[in-house]
Amino acid sequence: MRSVILVGGLGTRMRPLTYETPKQMLPLVGVAMIERVLTRLHDYGVTDAVLALGYLPDQFIRAYPDDVIGGVRVTYAVEPSPLDTAGAIRFAACTASIDETFLVVNGDVVSNLDVSRLVAFHRERGALATLALHPVDDPSRYGVVPTDVDGRVLAFVEKPSRSDAPTNLINAGTYVMEPAVLDYIAPHGRVSVERTVFPALAEAGRLFALADVAYWIDAGTPRSYLRVNSDLLVGRVGEPLATRRTDSWVHPQSTVEAGVALERAVIDRDCYVGAGAILIDVVLLPGAVVEQGAVVRSSILGPGAVVGSYSTLGELCVVGANQHVAPGSVLAGDVRLGGV
Ligand code: GTP
């Protein structure tokens, strides 16, 4: 089956990391997010994908000169200006001349969703489009999707308050579509699939949805990015990737000095961690440095970032590429270091 993978967003919630690197090229335990997503889709029989690109497209194209990512053959549709989710689907499907049932996936969704089951359900129902739903404890940050007993979508409720949410099933960013859906998307300008196209299809009674309790995460915020890294380490999304007894992963080209405490730490290539440092629930992107005695928790260090000796970084610090945290600093809270 052919697919369109949406990877053209600005990734504003992951700034400053996404100033240099598009979100789906950020690594998850040493492998680019897009590669992990496509590897999983390949396991479900996806053979061809069109990457719907817009923001920093060259980074994808350069990284995969053979045009194969995770076993999937890829082509590229680069938007001249951001078209939003539906505009991007239309542009990519037209560029690739897709003329049969196809899959659409948000490129920042890491999941074990059973795509084959979704496609079979779509065909049984004769739907124009079918979306996967995922149950969450708090649906108030998401698009909530109530259905009837047959799975026909009744409405699309964007970000309801917790008490008003008609269901806890949310749009999981994975869709099966017929080419006729493209007729619901205006040919020019920005169009949102969630705000415009799905409500119109639901109104016409042609939109269906199927819940799946498999692992699912939208890896588009610093918190969820850290979460998916640690889930990969401990085996919540397939085989555990941790290589150390402490549920951590250290790239062979990195140096970790003696007496370092690691818990659910991901240390990518060419990093250095000085003696006595403590790293818990952290991701170090390539070339990051943590000097001796520093303590870093629940934080992301961008490429080439340096945390000075005996600093303490607490809950959700994101240090941008090549930024330096002075020795002895104390940072905590939703701190973002680095800008354009
Ligand atoms: P934020 O700015 O942090 O909200 O991230 P984002 O830009 O990725 O937006 P969001 O997570 O809502 O987007 C969902 C998916 O659609 C992601 O995989 C994006 O890469 C993708 N996307 C969003 N807008 C566009 C667009 O204009 N063009 C293309 N090709 N993809 C888009």
Side-chain angles (χ1 to χ4, degrees), residues 5 27 31 38 57 108 124 129 143 147 152 181 184 197 247 273 307 310:
I5 315 294
V31 172
L38 286 179
D108 48 6
E124 271 165 36
T147 63
R152 194 183 298 270
V181 169
Y184 284 74
V197 178
D247 288 339
V273 182
V307 173
Y310 302 102

Side-chain angles (χ1 to χ4, degrees), residues 256-282:
V256 175
E257 298 290 6
V260 168
L262 302 179
E263 277 180 45
R264 295 174 303 279
V266 171
I267 299 178
D268 215 313
R269 77 187 133 76
D270 302 327
C271 291
Y272 175 83
V273 182
I278 300 174
L279 306 183
I280 301 174
D281 291 314
V282 299

